[in-house]
Amino acid sequence: MSTGGGQPLEAVEAARGNAPALEEKVLTPDKDGVINPKADDSAVASGSDIDEPLRGPNGEEYPSKKDLETLRRVKGKISPIIYTIAFIELCERFAYYGTTAVFVNFIQQPLPAGSHAGEAGTYGQPGALDKGQQASTGLVTFNSFWAYLMPLLGGYLSDTYWGKYKTIHVAIVVATFGHLILIISALPPVIRNPDAALGVFSLGLIFFGIGVGFFKANISPMIAEQYEATHPRATVETLKSGERVIKDPVLTISVIYMRYYFFINVGSLVGQISMVYAEKYVGFYLSFTLPTALFLFCPLVLIAFKKKYVRRPPTGSVIGKFFALIGLGMKGRWSANPVRLLKNIAEPGFFERVKPSNIPESERPAWMTFDDNWVDEVRRGILACQVFFLFPIYWLPYNQLNSNLTSQAATMVLGGVPNDVINNLDPIALLIFIPICDKIFYPFLRKIGYNFTPIKKITAGFALGTLAMVVGALIQHYIYWQSPCREISGYGYVSDCKTALGFDPDATVDERLYKPPLTVWIQTPAYVLIAFSEIFASITGLEYAFTKAPKNMRGFITGIFWFAQAFSSAIAQAFVPLSTDPVLVWLYTTVAIIAAIGGLLFHFVFRNLDKEEEALNALPDSVFKGSRNQNEDFEAVEHAQEEADRIRHAQGLDEKLGTHS
């Protein structure tokens, strides 16, 4: 590994990396107006049995129990190196969304008359394969499923064998190969044979999804590790105003993910809008080629800053020991009765029983080469996985963005705007409201003392996604009700309205003559609501995956977070029969009802997790002896553990940790 300054960061240094070195400390205000109170001895660990200030090895002050309860929290300084990783993600998201933005039209719509590459001009409808809405919804849903299933494998390979940096390079190679196959499927000579083009396109999706999945499992943990490596623990600082505050690394990581998501949506927005117009005026081959070209910036930036990045090595044999630990805890407790099985898993002391310190050394399995702290980390990771269990329901409304809502837009008055550019209202809203939440809304909540915890944020995300689908259902009802061909075809039939009214389907006709008098921009509330739901739920989910996973399982746990979206896409396949006239109102209504029920379940099942939030985030690093970290200085790690335990006890956090289950 290497630090932000380009110097090697060995495992021992990571264990001791609780603060910068003494010679690096200065008593001048940082960017946030914070002065390091090196000589301030006023903090006392009130409420504990330690009556002295909590000091780190370089004089930094850690918050006492009273400090944690009373002092305001602020973010730390974010290194510029973090933004280079955000730029890499920007390029990858440009490539992904720029490519997928035209999938619906490429699959669903027919090749326009006189077109060779799918282009249609200002008032025409771009298309290529003419396979219909159900086929387009099915393939788009499969692409989402596949791309979000692969993070499981990418996270496993990263944690066990390759590390995040190398896995990202592998992802880029595989995804680039997939991009090239997609380009071939869109070339004019290939498009002339829709069935052959569809086969090539489907093959490209396989490699495209593998690369995307490997990338997603590792890029978000890697960006947060750049800060965590040098700021692993909260410290007390004094502002220029004299106010004592807590510089909170978890809060800082939350801000990092907010800005990371901002970069994601810059790439998404520019990619989608530009490629939709490339599709409309040049052809689909250009919409697949330009994203591929920008994607090639990813490896260039990674290589250029390689020595600046913190690159945690894999420890090997992580997942096997994870499941072996769970199996040991379940020994003698398996049951064919699912209710009894769940009770056995949730019974008090489940993880306490399998801690190495509670098993005589002569009886410990050979694979038990870790310590008690790793067991606590595993418990924390399982709690995160439980939180992600209901995320497939959350993703159901979001998954309508690039499928059914795009098709819905095509049935309204577009005024020359491509139907698949409208969904860019989502990233536009995110680019507007992420800075507002980052700079105004969240700081305001902290200032008035309201703790907007991760569980509360995710619950709000469920609610907003539900409201977005209610809006979609209402719009669809009015599309059916105000359709010019309702009296001819009946309520619920608009896809063939042009033909039903007697117009030549290939002729250029004023769209206002065969579409309902509804502007496409009435979809705006649905996209804005989904954007807010992402701010509250999606960003928080990424943060939760990072902060709650064992440090040597972050790729895999992040993969589980993204797998929730893959599973959601699989569930969405059940709704494909509803993705057609005349039942689209029922589609949106059904998704809204399911999302509402999911949000209520999430709130009542997980609301008590907030009580452990602080303690879970403060767990000390573990000793994990794997096949790929044999050279680690485990004595240094154990020493750091003892110090961390002393601080946690002084802060009263060990009392809040629910180690009973």
Side-chain angles (χ1 to χ4, degrees):
M1 281 190 296
S2 63
T3 64
Q7 300 302 317
L9 179 65
E10 304 297 341
V12 56
E13 292 175 300
R16 291 170 174 166
N18 298 334
L22 276 171
E23 57 268 25
E24 297 174 341
K25 293 172 64 68
V26 291
L27 292 175
T28 55
D30 65 14
K31 182 180 178 181
D32 301 306
V34 174
I35 300 174
N36 195 327
K38 181 176 178 181
D40 181 8
D41 294 328
S42 61
V44 177
S46 61
S48 73
D49 56 1
I50 299 177
D51 297 323
E52 57 197 35
L54 298 173
R55 296 289 186 188
N58 299 297
E60 68 277 12
E61 180 185 345
Y62 300 134
S64 66
K65 183 178 181 180
K66 183 178 180 181
D67 292 335
L68 291 173
E69 295 170 351
T70 60
L71 296 187
R72 185 167 64 91
R73 295 168 187 258
V74 299
K75 69 175 181 65
K77 184 178 180 181
I78 299 175
S79 167
I81 200 67
I82 288 174
Y83 293 105
T84 66
I85 300 177
F87 175 76
I88 292 169
E89 176 68 341
L90 182 155
C91 294
E92 190 273 340
R93 291 291 88 183
F94 180 102
Y96 178 80
Y97 282 107
T99 300
T100 60
V102 301
F103 278 1
V104 170
N105 285 345
F106 181 75
I107 301 165
Q108 177 178 340
Q109 304 294 342
L111 192 70
S115 172
H116 299 289
E119 76 281 7
T122 301
Y123 295 103
Q125 175 63 55
L129 306 186
D130 193 21
K131 299 298 181 181
Q133 182 170 345
Q134 285 188 325
S136 71
T137 299
L139 278 171
V140 167
T141 303
F142 166 77
N143 174 67
S144 180
F145 168 79
W146 184 244
Y148 290 105
L149 173 66
M150 284 297 100
L152 279 175
L153 179 58
Y156 166 74
L157 292 173
S158 167
D159 292 336
T160 307
Y161 300 110
W162 297 338
K164 297 178 186 64
Y165 182 83
K166 183 177 180 180
T167 305
I168 291 171
H169 277 291
V170 172
I172 291 170
V173 171
V174 177
T176 301
F177 184 61
H179 275 286
L180 294 174
I181 297 176
L182 293 177
I183 293 170
I184 293 172
S185 75
L187 294 175
V190 181
I191 281 182
R192 292 195 194 108
N193 187 336
D195 292 336
L198 184 64
V200 176
F201 177 82
S202 300
L203 177 64
L205 288 185
I206 300 297
F207 290 98
F208 180 70
I210 293 173
V212 168
F214 281 25
F215 193 96
K216 290 191 75 66
N218 293 285
I219 194 71
S220 60
M222 183 174 166
I223 195 171
E225 284 179 348
Q226 308 308 305
Y227 183 83
E228 180 200 53
T230 53
H231 303 85
R233 187 173 294 125
T235 58
V236 175
E237 314 281 3
T238 301
L239 300 178
K240 289 186 289 185
S241 64
E243 179 189 6
R244 297 176 71 248
V245 296
I246 295 175
K247 185 178 284 188
D248 190 345
V250 175
L251 171 59
T252 308
I253 288 171
S254 178
V255 171
I256 288 171
Y257 276 127
M258 290 274 286
R259 297 179 183 181
Y260 166 77
Y261 214 76
F262 182 89
F263 274 75
I264 285 176
N265 284 280
V266 170
S268 166
L269 177 64
V270 177
Q272 287 185 104
I273 291 180
S274 57
M275 293 310 101
V276 164
Y277 279 96
E279 153 212 56
K280 191 171 182 65
Y281 291 104
V282 180
F284 288 99
Y285 72 90
L286 185 64
S287 297
F288 293 160
T289 300
L290 292 180
T292 307
L294 189 66
F295 188 52
L296 296 178
F297 278 95
C298 295
L300 297 178
V301 177
L302 277 171
I303 294 170
F305 292 95
K306 178 180 179 180
K307 293 183 178 180
K308 299 288 186 180
Y309 293 139
V310 171
R311 292 175 286 126
R312 296 189 183 278
T315 55
S317 60
V318 180
I319 306 302
K321 293 184 181 183
F322 173 84
F323 286 109
L325 181 70
I326 303 303
L328 180 63
M330 289 301 300
K331 189 174 182 180
R333 293 174 175 81
W334 294 103
S335 174
N337 184 333
V339 176
R340 169 52 55 189
L341 181 64
L342 290 174
K343 286 183 178 179
N344 288 343
I345 295 173
E347 69 181 351
F350 181 90
F351 286 98
E352 287 297 309
R353 286 195 307 270
V354 293
K355 286 185 174 181
S357 62
N358 292 328
I359 301 174
E361 191 169 350
S362 60
E363 299 178 16
R364 290 177 196 169
W367 48 263
M368 190 171 277
T369 58
F370 47 79
D371 62 355
D372 289 0
N373 289 321
W374 195 71
V375 178
D376 284 335
E377 287 187 10
V378 167
R379 172 187 175 270
R380 183 178 65 182
I382 289 176
L383 289 175
C385 294
Q386 291 174 349
V387 166
F388 301 151
F389 183 76
L390 287 172
F391 259 72
I393 296 176
Y394 162 74
W395 289 117
L396 280 177
Y398 175 85
N399 286 340
Q400 307 309 310
L401 280 179
N402 297 314
S403 55
N404 290 306
L405 284 174
T406 299
S407 298
Q408 183 186 75
T411 64
M412 293 186 283
V413 177
L414 296 168
V417 179
N419 69 302
D420 44 6
V421 89
I422 305 302
N423 59 14
N424 286 286
L425 289 170
D426 172 63
I428 289 172
L430 285 165
L431 294 182
I432 293 171
F433 293 114
I434 284 177
I436 291 174
C437 289
D438 179 16
K439 298 290 188 180
I440 300 174
F441 181 60
Y442 286 162
F444 171 74
L445 293 180
R446 290 194 295 270
K447 189 170 184 178
I448 65 175
Y450 182 75
N451 188 13
F452 198 24
T453 61
I455 300 302
K456 292 174 184 175
K457 289 179 183 177
I458 296 170
T459 302
F462 271 93
L464 292 167
T466 299
L467 290 176
M469 290 302 96
V470 171
V471 171
L474 289 172
I475 291 173
Q476 192 64 50
H477 165 70
Y478 280 102
I479 288 172
Y480 285 159
W481 188 256
Q482 299 189 27
S483 171
C485 57
R486 179 167 64 89
E487 295 183 1
I488 300 173
S489 304
Y491 176 89
Y493 295 92
V494 295
S495 57
D496 296 321
C497 198
K498 188 176 181 181
T499 303
L501 292 172
F503 296 109
D504 182 348
D506 295 324
T508 300
V509 181
D510 188 338
E511 62 180 344
R512 292 172 293 182
L513 297 177
Y514 61 89
K515 289 183 177 181
L518 299 171
T519 174
V520 72
W521 300 110
I522 65 174
Q523 284 189 320
T524 300
Y527 286 109
V528 171
L529 287 167
I530 289 176
F532 269 110
S533 80
E534 289 180 73
I535 293 173
F536 293 145
S538 181
I539 297 176
T540 305
L542 281 173
E543 172 194 338
Y544 214 75
F546 179 81
T547 58
K548 302 302 181 289
K551 290 188 177 181
N552 55 359
M553 290 184 65
R554 280 173 172 163
F556 184 71
I557 299 297
T558 301
I560 291 176
F561 169 74
W562 289 121
F563 174 72
Q565 186 159 351
F567 192 70
S568 179
S569 297
I571 296 173
Q573 289 287 358
F575 295 97
V576 170
L578 297 178
S579 300
T580 187
D581 292 336
V583 291
L584 284 166
V585 172
W586 283 107
L587 168 72
Y588 296 113
T589 302
T590 303
V591 172
I593 292 171
I594 293 173
I597 294 172
L600 290 172
L601 282 173
F602 185 89
H603 170 70
F604 287 110
V605 171
F606 298 116
R607 56 182 175 174
N608 290 329
L609 272 183
D610 285 336
K611 298 176 182 177
E612 289 188 60
E613 179 69 16
E614 189 94 54
L616 289 172
N617 291 334
L619 289 178
D621 289 345
S622 62
V623 172
F624 183 98
K625 298 180 181 179
S627 59
R628 293 178 176 263
N629 66 336
Q630 296 298 312
N631 295 326
E632 187 165 350
D633 188 341
F634 293 109
E635 289 187 7
V637 177
E638 290 171 355
H639 175 75
Q641 280 183 348
E642 293 173 0
E643 181 67 10
D645 281 331
R646 180 185 74 85
I647 293 169
R648 286 173 62 244
H649 175 66
Q651 294 172 333
L653 295 179
D654 47 0
E655 301 170 4
K656 297 181 180 180
L657 188 64
T659 53
H660 59 281
S661 60

